[in-house]
Amino acid sequence: MASSTLICNTEPWKDLKAHVDDIKKTHLRDLMNDADRCKSMIVEFDGLVLDYSRQRAFQDTIDKLLTLAEINSTEDRSVLHVALRAPRDKVISSDGKNVVPEVWKVLDKINEFSERVRSGSWVGATGKALKDVVAVGIGGSFLGPLFVHTALQTDPEAIAFAKGRQLRFLANVDPIDVARSITGLNPETTLVVVVSKTFTTAETMLNARTLREWISAALGPQAVAKHMVAVSTNLTLVEKFGIDPNNAFAFWDWVGGRYSVCSAVGVLPLSLQYGFSVVEKFLKGASSIDQHFYSADFEKNIPVLLGLLSVWNVSFLGYPARAILPYSQALEKFAPHIQQVSMESNGKGVSIDGVPLPFEAGEIDFGEPGTNGQHSFYQLIHQGRVIPCDFIGVAKSQQPVYLKGEMVSNHDELMSNFFAQPDALAYGKSLASQVRKQLNVSRTKGEPVEGFNYSTTTLMTKYLEAKSPIPSDPTTVKMSVAELKERHLTATTTVNGLRDRLRQKRLLLLDTDVSAYAKNAGRSAVSFGQTDLVCCRTLQGHTGKVYSLDWTPEKNRIVSASQDGRLIVWNALTSQKTHAIKLPCAWVMTCAFSPSGQSVASGGLDSLCTIFNLNSPIDRDGNLPVSRLLSGHKGYVTSCQYVPDEDTHLITSSGDQTCVLWDVTTGQRISVFGGEFPSGHTADVLRVAYPIYSSRYLIHFIVSNHWWRSSPALFWGILCVSINRSNSKMFVSGSCDTTARLWDTRIASRAVRTYHGHNGDVNTVKFFPDGQRFGTGSDDGTCRLFDMRTGHELQVYYQQHGDNDVPTVTSIAFSISGRLMFVGYSNGDCYVWDTLVAEVVLNLGSLQNSHEGRITCLGMSTDGSALCTGSWDKNLKIWAFGGYRNVVSP
Ligand SMILES: O=P(O)(O)OC[C@H]1O[C@H](O)[C@H](O)[C@@H](O)[C@@H]1O
């Protein structure tokens, strides 16, 4: 029924228009922090998981949009392409007639015909079987079939069915396309399928005549009957063209050309190539989504939601384009297909009455498979314009590749990009600042402050449920991802509630912090003279970013670990390198010196802790051999520390959410802390929910130099440990779950205490010299001092930075007395805090010879006379205390 009321004059539209201002006040990061909202924006159907929480919309927005949803009330035409894939017994009527039997009549005919051709019982003019097919058609008579063909071409089952056969397409009237489509083909063994709904489209008809000539010239005009068939609604013109009407496959006016892939348009050429049984699966998949569309409530209805979000983005928020980004090369032709489906349908500038629309309708669709697009137009999406994106990922690869020695499979590498990109877009502001930092420039005019891009992600998990790619992992659960995510969100809400109550109780007990107390007592900040702390050496030698360092008391030596895949042992007094150790796995994250100085340990993405005895003879290749491998972690090793005064014991922390105490001599695990245990760092259902896309990606990205982090919600690894020098049975760990935990090595089963306060990953922990307190540093930009026994947060150390971006804390160290705390930040600053009055007394980042990149690690020499810092600038620096006695004594 035609309507003369413009939709923009209806109440729901006006309501939505007013709603735009509300949403514009809210940053996506804040939307993402709302757990209930995010939970409500995940929909799952038949192994498809749609997450639209990164769209610029409240739940309220969706409710309002739903009031707009109506199906084709303006055109008075049947929209019946769904009948093309309906089961035989379904009744779908057009003009009072059930069309499903007609549909199946054609499908049966295709089944029978394609079988005859494929089996060789249908032969060409010279008696040879037809093994190749050229499908001639354009627009909807080309793009859908091409898309499905491209997707099936790498599917193992489809490959088997297509053995020895070729399917080619001819669309463009350009003779080059003709040449391409027939090069190498023999007319004797080729079948031409002319596909045209109208059988009048100029390009298709010229191309059809051209191939008719190709066949007649080679085999005579009578050969056309055996070598050319047609798909059309216009059987009269088919016959006129010279194709036997018995060899024509019909479809109907109620199928829009752009939606015709499920008709003979797609089914015939695809069945000739792959057999009808393969194509029938495609039809069943489409039918399953039809059922979902019909039966699911609109608020859980994937097609409805995607459609409404498109209206919201284009017509209300004013974002004209949408990027379609399948992380699957098999879906390479999906964007061109959708371009036609969407842009040929929706891009009208006037109403049905010819009235110009006072709003934009229809979006500009474009896209490329990831990761190709990342090296092309993503720059604009990340740093320039708002372009909502549709990310599509496939859980299991059609063609898996696992390379020996590689950390992740090739498909996992692809999927790590799929998971990382939506967050990189959503948390645009920090991204912008990261980029700026990488380029070492300050905020420039015009750079977006609000960051910024919106996306939906669709993960096709079907394979995952049927057959897990990691069968050995017992946590590959039977529950759906959505269920697990829901469980996680419920658990998180409960935990947050309890945490708040705990915080309130603690605050009641704690009436002051250290600095207020100290200031009341008349204490003032330590003052630094110009020569009190100076950079006296730069240790140059690494060719990659430095990630970790450690001192040994013995002869003031330092070991450093770098992205160049080496450990270097330095003499801090002379800057000489005594060892350069090539690591078996270059993805190193941490290193430690043994107390005696005899050995060094390293850990990283290989989930191993590797020990080298510095006195071992060099092997034939000139490398220091591995003296012990500590193997047992199921995730990357984030930090390691020797137990004080014991070369034989070492503690590691890992992305698998555990810490392990090792016997270095035997290589055995003495105790495992956390993980499966109830009081470990959030032994979270999410870990179970994402058995495949586990935390290794997070680190993979950090280490591999990408500037973004993948979704923090997915990863809960332990990032750091510090052992108490005063009582080496106690150690603390810091984790992605924003907590620090105290462990007693005699009680592995549970943490002694959990310390809350941070709002981001706890990247670094360090015991205070008195062994009664410890400091933490976090992604939230703060350091905190906790009382070990009471669990009280004694002090927060935070200083407002020049711009609005909060640099993360990467590393901390205390002076001998604890009066000073040295803190490395992601922006290259290195503050010296007076811990007593909570003031910054010096910034090493502003001194001469300071680092030129992120500070990643720092450490005090054992005698407290020097500080070493390591940075992304590939260097380490030694800072010496001129006024040493003044600053290290209270
Ligand atoms: O299938 P045909 O009749 O040859 O039409 C081919 C194409 O022609 C036009 O471009 C229409 O806009 C398309 O929707 C259609 O798919």
Side-chain angles (χ1 to χ4, degrees), residues 117 122 124-125 128-135 166 168 181-182 184-193 211 214-215 219 223-224 226-228:
V117 173
W122 173 288
K128 290 189 178 163
L130 305 181
K131 62 183 182 57
D132 301 318
V133 170
V134 181
Q166 286 189 69
R168 298 191 186 176
S181 69
I182 56 174
L185 297 190
N186 179 354
E188 284 184 280
T189 52
T190 302
L191 178 70
V192 174
V193 183
L211 292 203
W214 178 63
I215 288 165
L219 310 171
V224 170
K226 284 285 178 190
H227 290 265
M228 289 188 91

Side-chain angles (χ1 to χ4, degrees), residues 337-365:
H337 173 48
I338 295 302
Q339 266 170 342
Q340 193 208 8
V341 168
S342 163
M343 290 164 82
E344 203 174 50
S345 304
N346 296 328
K348 315 288 187 271
V350 293
S351 76
I352 199 164
D353 303 323
V355 179
L357 298 181
F359 56 88
E360 297 293 340
E363 70 206 339
I364 304 159
D365 289 313

Side-chain angles (χ1 to χ4, degrees), residues 689-735:
Y690 292 91
I692 294 168
Y693 304 108
S694 63
S695 38
R696 56 197 158 142
Y697 292 116
L698 168 70
I699 300 305
H700 186 59
F701 271 85
I702 297 170
V703 176
S704 64
N705 217 348
H706 293 256
W707 58 68
W708 55 79
R709 305 186 73 153
S710 206
S711 172
L714 298 183
F715 310 114
W716 300 96
I718 302 181
L719 298 172
C720 48
V721 287
S722 174
I723 306 171
N724 192 347
R725 293 205 151 266
S726 318
N727 172 4
S728 58
K729 301 268 180 276
M730 309 300 285
F731 73 95
V732 279
S733 60
S735 158

Side-chain angles (χ1 to χ4, degrees), residues 138-141 195-199 201 204 257-258 340 344:
I138 199 164
S141 297
V195 188
S196 174
K197 180 174 171 179
T198 55
F199 230 70
T201 305
T204 301
R258 53 200 179 277
Q340 193 208 8
E344 203 174 50

Side-chain angles (χ1 to χ4, degrees), residues 614-829:
L614 296 177
N615 300 321
S616 298
I618 302 289
D619 68 15
R620 262 187 280 157
D621 301 326
N623 296 324
L624 191 69
V626 172
S627 66
R628 177 74 62 203
L629 271 185
L630 307 180
S631 160
H633 275 301
K634 290 188 191 133
Y636 49 86
V637 174
T638 48
S639 79
C640 59
Q641 192 190 347
Y642 278 90
V643 174
D645 307 322
E646 293 180 39
D647 267 26
T648 49
H649 291 99
L650 177 141
I651 294 178
T652 50
S653 66
S654 164
D656 67 10
Q657 303 179 336
T658 67
C659 296
V660 170
L661 171 65
W662 301 88
D663 182 328
V664 178
T665 324
T666 61
Q668 297 298 310
R669 285 180 288 185
I670 300 172
S671 304
V672 179
F673 307 89
E676 306 299 325
F677 298 103
S679 286
H681 278 288
T682 319
D684 206 283
V685 286
L686 260 191
R687 188 178 64 86
V688 186
Y690 292 91
I692 294 168
Y693 304 108
S694 63
S695 38
R696 56 197 158 142
Y697 292 116
L698 168 70
I699 300 305
H700 186 59
F701 271 85
I702 297 170
V703 176
S704 64
N705 217 348
H706 293 256
W707 58 68
W708 55 79
R709 305 186 73 153
S710 206
S711 172
L714 298 183
F715 310 114
W716 300 96
I718 302 181
L719 298 172
C720 48
V721 287
S722 174
I723 306 171
N724 192 347
R725 293 205 151 266
S726 318
N727 172 4
S728 58
K729 301 268 180 276
M730 309 300 285
F731 73 95
V732 279
S733 60
S735 158
C736 292
D737 70 4
T738 74
T739 69
R741 280 183 161 83
L742 176 70
W743 302 89
D744 184 330
T745 55
R746 292 156 296 191
I747 319 163
S749 60
R750 48 185 287 274
V752 177
R753 192 179 283 282
T754 302
Y755 304 83
H756 297 282
H758 282 294
N759 297 315
D761 297 6
V762 177
N763 296 322
T764 175
V765 284
K766 208 53 64 79
F767 259 100
F768 200 73
D770 68 3
Q772 301 300 316
R773 288 164 274 182
F774 64 87
T776 52
S778 160
D779 268 4
D780 66 13
T782 69
C783 292
R784 288 164 202 250
L785 189 64
F786 289 97
D787 185 297
M788 189 176 87
R789 281 168 307 132
T790 63
H792 283 151
E793 182 184 279
L794 300 173
Q795 187 65 51
V796 179
Y797 300 92
Y798 176 69
Q799 175 153 299
Q800 189 70 42
H801 290 257
D803 53 22
N804 291 328
D805 303 319
V806 178
T808 61
V809 177
T810 61
S811 44
I812 60 170
F814 290 103
S815 65
I816 294 275
S817 66
R819 179 72 191 262
L820 301 178
M821 178 170 67
F822 305 92
V823 181
Y825 293 87
S826 56
N827 65 349
D829 281 340

Side-chain angles (χ1 to χ4, degrees), residues 136-143 195-205 231-233 251 256-260 265 340 344:
V136 182
I138 199 164
S141 297
F142 159 59
L143 291 163
V195 188
S196 174
K197 180 174 171 179
T198 55
F199 230 70
T200 56
T201 305
E203 293 93 331
T204 301
M205 296 329 294
V231 176
S232 184
T233 57
F251 68 114
R258 53 200 179 277
Y259 308 119
S260 62
V265 166
Q340 193 208 8
E344 203 174 50

Side-chain angles (χ1 to χ4, degrees), residues 234-489:
N234 193 337
L235 300 183
T236 317
L237 288 184
V238 169
E239 191 170 5
K240 228 169 155 190
F241 180 85
I243 292 176
D244 182 349
N246 291 323
N247 299 336
F249 297 82
F251 68 114
W252 307 270
D253 195 40
W254 42 260
V255 182
R258 53 200 179 277
Y259 308 119
S260 62
V261 63
C262 292
S263 72
V265 166
V267 176
L268 179 64
L270 293 166
S271 295
L272 287 164
Q273 176 69 2
Y274 300 105
F276 184 76
S277 63
V278 169
V279 183
E280 203 180 0
K281 286 189 190 172
F282 165 66
L283 296 180
K284 281 189 177 151
S287 171
S288 145
I289 276 289
D290 291 339
Q291 290 316 310
H292 166 72
F293 174 67
Y294 280 132
S295 56
D297 292 341
F298 276 4
E299 55 270 26
K300 293 282 171 204
N301 196 311
I302 292 174
V304 170
L305 289 168
L306 287 172
L308 290 175
L309 284 166
S310 154
V311 172
W312 175 239
N313 283 328
V314 174
S315 302
F316 290 94
L317 296 177
Y319 306 138
R322 171 180 61 167
I324 298 170
L325 309 168
Y327 277 66
S328 166
Q329 196 63 30
L331 302 181
E332 181 188 4
K333 296 292 178 190
F334 186 56
H337 173 48
I338 295 302
Q339 266 170 342
Q340 193 208 8
V341 168
S342 163
M343 290 164 82
E344 203 174 50
S345 304
N346 296 328
K348 315 288 187 271
V350 293
S351 76
I352 199 164
D353 303 323
V355 179
L357 298 181
F359 56 88
E360 297 293 340
E363 70 206 339
I364 304 159
D365 289 313
F366 71 103
E368 267 294 309
T371 58
N372 294 9
Q374 284 172 215
H375 295 269
S376 165
F377 53 81
Y378 276 38
Q379 284 301 325
L380 181 78
I381 303 179
H382 276 295
Q383 295 169 6
R385 309 261 312 246
V386 177
I387 301 174
C389 299
D390 274 5
F391 289 93
I392 300 158
V394 185
K396 187 188 167 194
S397 177
Q398 291 176 327
Q399 300 285 333
V401 175
Y402 294 86
L403 285 186
K404 207 173 159 204
E406 290 290 329
M407 284 309 301
V408 295
S409 75
N410 295 25
H411 184 66
D412 286 348
E413 176 82 26
L414 172 75
M415 292 306 283
S416 60
N417 285 274
F418 166 77
F419 283 107
Q421 286 292 327
D423 277 341
L425 294 175
Y427 300 97
K429 185 173 174 185
S430 52
L431 177 76
S433 76
Q434 294 279 16
V435 171
R436 219 176 35 248
K437 269 155 215 159
Q438 287 228 334
L439 300 176
N440 212 7
V441 293
S442 53
R443 174 173 283 133
T444 51
K445 206 174 157 212
E447 180 185 316
V449 176
E450 292 305 313
F452 67 78
N453 242 317
Y454 310 100
S455 64
T456 54
T457 52
T458 306
L459 180 63
M460 298 157 83
T461 64
K462 194 92 186 218
Y463 288 124
L464 190 84
E465 283 171 12
K467 213 195 292 170
S468 165
I470 307 182
S472 60
D473 187 344
T475 58
T476 305
V477 284
K478 287 166 200 73
M479 256 179 277
S480 71
V481 173
E483 255 179 296
L484 283 160
K485 214 159 183 175
E486 187 167 331
R487 271 182 54 182
H488 164 254
L489 286 164

